[in-house]
Amino acid sequence: MKFETKAICVGQAADQATGATIVPIYQTSTFTQEEVNKNKGYEYSRVANPTRAALDACLASLEEGKYGLTFSSGLAAEHSILSLLRPGDNVIVPEDMYGGTYRLIKEIFEPYSITFTFTDFNDIEQIQKAFSAFDKDGLDRNPDKSDIEDF
């Protein structure tokens, strides 16, 4: 299937409730449950909802991935990615960043011995200097995560 076809078809099954050809935008925060812990796949929009599930499926297809993940905010996405880090990991980050990201780093992740090197991303020499703390090719090679590179 070509990219253009994937973009308009994947994740776009007709809505079972209404027959709508395009997935509706569900603006509800909660979904009715038949009984406690028995639902039709959705219970609370912050966890999952049909609109986001369709978008996730479409994006995964376009990127030729197995799964797609979307978030309600950039900060939520950052938190998810940073949660993959472990004590002793270091990330080179721009010194000029969104305040919420700065607080996330300082208040949530640094107390767990994850370090961040704040760097002027407008200055290539500063970036090179930040990488010089790593091995000879500038990449942090953690044997537990050999396929992940920090930048």
Side-chain angles (χ1 to χ4, degrees), residues 31-43:
F31 295 85
T32 302
Q33 297 185 34
E34 296 172 29
E35 58 186 68
V36 175
N37 291 328
K38 186 175 180 187
N39 57 58
K40 296 180 180 179
Y42 303 98
E43 54 186 308

Side-chain angles (χ1 to χ4, degrees), residues 5-15 20-24 51 53-55 57-58:
T5 306
K6 287 180 185 180
I8 61 169
C9 291
V10 175
Q12 299 293 324
D15 182 53
T21 302
I22 303 296
V23 176
T51 308
L55 177 60
C58 186

Side-chain angles (χ1 to χ4, degrees), residues 100-134:
T101 301
Y102 181 82
R103 287 186 296 279
L104 180 68
I105 287 170
K106 289 301 210 180
E107 296 173 17
I108 304 299
F109 289 97
E110 281 189 348
Y112 288 99
S113 299
I114 297 167
T115 59
F116 296 84
T117 302
F118 293 86
T119 306
D120 181 356
F121 272 33
N122 293 310
D123 183 342
I124 191 68
E125 290 179 15
Q126 290 290 324
I127 296 170
Q128 290 170 336
K129 183 178 176 184
F131 273 107
S132 69
F134 296 96

Side-chain angles (χ1 to χ4, degrees), residues 1-10 58-59 61-64:
M1 190 181 305
K2 291 184 177 181
F3 183 89
E4 294 83 357
T5 306
K6 287 180 185 180
I8 61 169
C9 291
V10 175
C58 186
L59 291 175
S61 173
L62 294 174
E63 294 290 334
E64 298 183 14

Side-chain angles (χ1 to χ4, degrees), residues 19 22 29 84 97 133 142 150:
I22 303 296
S29 60
L84 297 171
M97 66 173 61
N142 182 328
D150 294 334

